[in-house]
Amino acid sequence: CKTSERKSRGGKAEARSRGGAKEKTLECGQIVWGLAFSTWPAAEEGETDPTCAVGLPCLVLATGLNDGQIKVWEVQTGHLLFSLLGHQDVVRDLSFAPNGSPILVSASRDKTLRVWDLSRDGRQVQVLSGHVQWVYCCSISPDCSMLCSAAGEKSALLWSMRSYTLIRRLEGHQSSVVSCDFSPDSALLVTASYDACVIMWDPYTGEQLRTLRHVPLHSTLDYSSEIHTSSLRSVCFSPEGLYLATVADDRLLRIWALELRSPVAFAPMTNGLCCIYFPHGGFIATGTRDGHVQFWTAPRVLSSLKHLCRKALRTFLTTYQVLALPIPRKLKEFLTYRTF
């Protein structure tokens, strides 16, 4: 693998105005199937780690490759930090621990998930086996206590990130589960399936809280007679936890408000495969089969004080801990997302 750089296409004046911005290409030598960003802790005085400047954290990018390798790069310099070997087939998805720790989880077509510790020279910490199909997706909860994985089976698997053991199977879909995501407070988990449904779960109890069904549109947005209910491809939470975005084969991007069972916004798109919110909200990026990334404006909302309080409490309280509190039943139902 090698790194190449070239200056941006603008003239010298434009380059100077942008601080001499350069385009960078990381030559992986293989088809890249999965990507994940994370920050690398800043080096301290006296350390010899050349990865980052002293006192300055740096950005790292993990790439999942067609031959089963994972290559981890320092973005600013293009320096290859690690080549992680272990998977026997395509690395389909990658997820860094959201708390900034150097833990990386990879999902592969070899039907396993693997846990890597980059602070220990990329040592493989654990192999998680339990799927019988290719693993498509993995998502670590924001509190770093749980891991969800989807593998083209009718159930998703929920794992403990502390003991690396299986917590439970989430069963309820009628077809292959292909995407999953946790809410920002770790209190909710959503899974998307080829059965055209998104199921919202309580990951602590395994209870199904609600189902969002993708049905044909009967409005001016129904711009083609061929649009019909069809397979879901991706689902993700908004940063404040009040909205969901979904991409399906019916050529629509949908935005759902958490408390409603019908979409609040639509956008026509073709060949959609994946979607993700901008970390600070307001925009959604979608990826397509024809090689395009499109950006969409998303509903912005000022979170209510009630939602902010619930989010703050659920960041460090499990469902069982909430249920044990000496508070009224209706308040418990609100804090556990049984009511909105």
Side-chain angles (χ1 to χ4, degrees):
C1 293
K2 59 183 180 180
T3 303
S4 62
E5 286 186 355
R6 64 187 179 92
K7 291 185 177 180
S8 58
R9 295 181 181 178
K12 293 182 178 179
E14 182 183 357
R16 283 195 298 269
S17 67
R18 296 183 179 180
K22 295 180 179 179
E23 297 176 3
K24 187 180 299 294
T25 301
L26 304 177
E27 300 289 349
C28 295
Q30 291 280 330
I31 297 173
V32 180
W33 285 86
L35 297 168
F37 281 108
S38 184
T39 53
W40 191 272
E44 298 180 0
E45 291 288 348
E47 290 187 350
T48 58
D49 184 1
T51 305
C52 299
V54 173
L56 296 175
C58 57
L59 189 64
V60 297
L61 174 67
T63 55
L65 307 182
N66 195 66
D67 63 356
Q69 287 191 70
I70 302 165
K71 293 188 180 295
V72 183
W73 309 81
E74 199 278 290
V75 175
Q76 183 63 30
T77 64
H79 176 61
L80 179 63
L81 301 177
F82 303 105
S83 291
L84 309 179
L85 304 176
H87 282 298
Q88 304 301 310
D89 208 332
V90 172
V91 176
R92 189 63 182 81
D93 196 20
L94 296 160
S95 182
F96 275 103
N99 62 359
S101 67
I103 296 296
L104 174 67
V105 175
S106 55
S108 171
R109 285 185 181 178
D110 65 10
K111 305 176 185 178
T112 70
L113 299 115
R114 294 173 190 254
V115 184
W116 314 84
D117 188 346
L118 302 189
S119 68
R120 301 166 68 183
D121 296 324
R123 177 179 174 183
Q124 182 175 285
V125 176
Q126 194 75 30
V127 178
L128 304 180
S129 301
H131 286 292
V132 296
Q133 300 291 338
W134 294 349
V135 188
Y136 291 127
C137 178
C138 59
S139 178
I140 302 176
S141 62
D143 65 3
C144 295
S145 67
M146 295 171 286
L147 168 71
C148 184
S149 57
E153 303 156 5
K154 292 182 180 180
S155 59
L157 300 189
L158 193 64
W159 310 83
S160 168
M161 282 295 290
R162 297 188 175 99
S163 62
Y164 299 119
T165 56
L166 182 64
I167 298 174
R168 63 172 55 87
R169 290 181 178 270
L170 299 173
E171 299 180 336
H173 284 290
Q174 302 306 307
S175 188
S176 300
V177 182
V178 294
S179 182
C180 57
D181 195 25
F182 284 92
S183 63
D185 59 5
S186 303
L188 296 173
L189 171 67
V190 288
T191 54
S193 167
Y194 287 162
D195 64 10
C197 291
V198 170
I199 296 181
M200 190 181 302
W201 310 83
D202 184 322
Y204 295 101
T205 65
E207 180 182 352
Q208 293 185 37
L209 301 181
R210 64 187 57 208
T211 299
L212 307 178
R213 302 183 186 280
H214 288 61
V215 297
L217 292 181
H218 301 286
S219 68
T220 56
L221 286 177
D222 200 355
Y223 60 93
S224 169
S225 60
E226 297 178 1
I227 291 182
H228 58 279
T229 302
S230 56
S231 302
L232 271 160
R233 294 292 172 177
S234 184
V235 62
C236 65
F237 267 100
S238 64
E240 79 287 334
L242 288 172
Y243 291 99
L244 291 172
T246 58
V247 170
D249 283 348
D250 61 4
R251 292 177 282 169
L252 286 173
L253 166 69
R254 290 173 171 84
I255 309 297
W256 308 73
L258 204 63
E259 70 274 11
L260 302 177
R261 294 178 185 269
S262 58
V264 296
F266 302 87
M269 62 173 300
T270 57
N271 295 323
L273 281 179
C274 55
C275 60
I276 190 168
Y277 267 89
F278 177 62
H280 302 293
F283 300 96
I284 297 171
T286 56
T288 67
R289 290 184 186 85
D290 51 12
H292 297 150
V293 175
Q294 298 170 314
F295 296 89
W296 312 84
T297 55
R300 283 185 178 271
V301 65
L302 185 63
S303 298
S304 67
L305 183 58
K306 289 198 308 181
H307 175 70
L308 290 174
C309 290
R310 174 174 59 188
K311 184 178 174 182
L313 287 170
R314 290 311 310 271
T315 297
F316 64 90
L317 289 178
T318 69
T319 299
Y320 297 114
Q321 290 171 326
V322 170
L323 295 176
L325 293 174
I327 56 178
R329 178 178 58 83
K330 288 188 176 181
L331 187 52
K332 291 182 181 180
E333 291 176 349
F334 175 76
L335 291 175
T336 56
Y337 290 91
R338 270 61 181 175
T339 61
F340 290 89

